[in-house]
Amino acid sequence: MIMQSKSKYETLILSELREFPEETLPMVKRILHSLKESLIAIKIKKSVRIKSSGLCGIWEDSRNADEIIHEIHS
């Protein structure tokens, strides 16, 4: 089966794959699949943005945490 290459990199990668011994190809396939899944996960993670409520860090206070907690409890 001869495949046409989509890009220069695909040609280079296919050339590298052809040099692997036949018995290692199942492992190579699993490694490539794992790499692809990792790259997809990174891409999805980067595209997910947490919307800011604008409430965090909008006030300044000279009191320490214990004083603020005491006020909340009272």
Side-chain angles (χ1 to χ4, degrees):
M1 174 171 80
I2 297 176
M3 295 174 48
Q4 288 188 336
S5 298
K6 294 180 183 178
S7 71
K8 177 179 119 181
Y9 287 110
E10 187 174 326
T11 302
L12 292 170
I13 291 166
L14 288 172
S15 173
E16 291 288 334
L17 283 174
R18 289 185 183 109
E19 294 179 19
F20 280 93
E22 183 75 25
E23 64 273 8
T24 65
L25 292 179
M27 184 184 305
V28 171
K29 183 201 173 285
R30 286 192 301 272
I31 292 168
L32 288 173
H33 180 75
S34 177
L35 175 62
K36 179 182 78 171
E37 294 298 316
S38 298
L39 294 173
I40 290 170
I42 291 169
K43 185 177 181 180
I44 289 170
K45 191 172 184 178
K46 283 184 177 181
S47 68
V48 174
R49 301 277 180 185
I50 299 173
K51 190 172 183 178
S52 176
S53 66
L55 299 176
C56 297
I58 55 177
W59 90 84
E60 292 184 21
D61 202 319
S62 60
R63 299 174 293 171
N64 65 34
D66 288 332
E67 293 170 324
I68 295 170
I69 292 170
H70 177 72
E71 180 184 340
I72 292 170
H73 286 286
S74 64

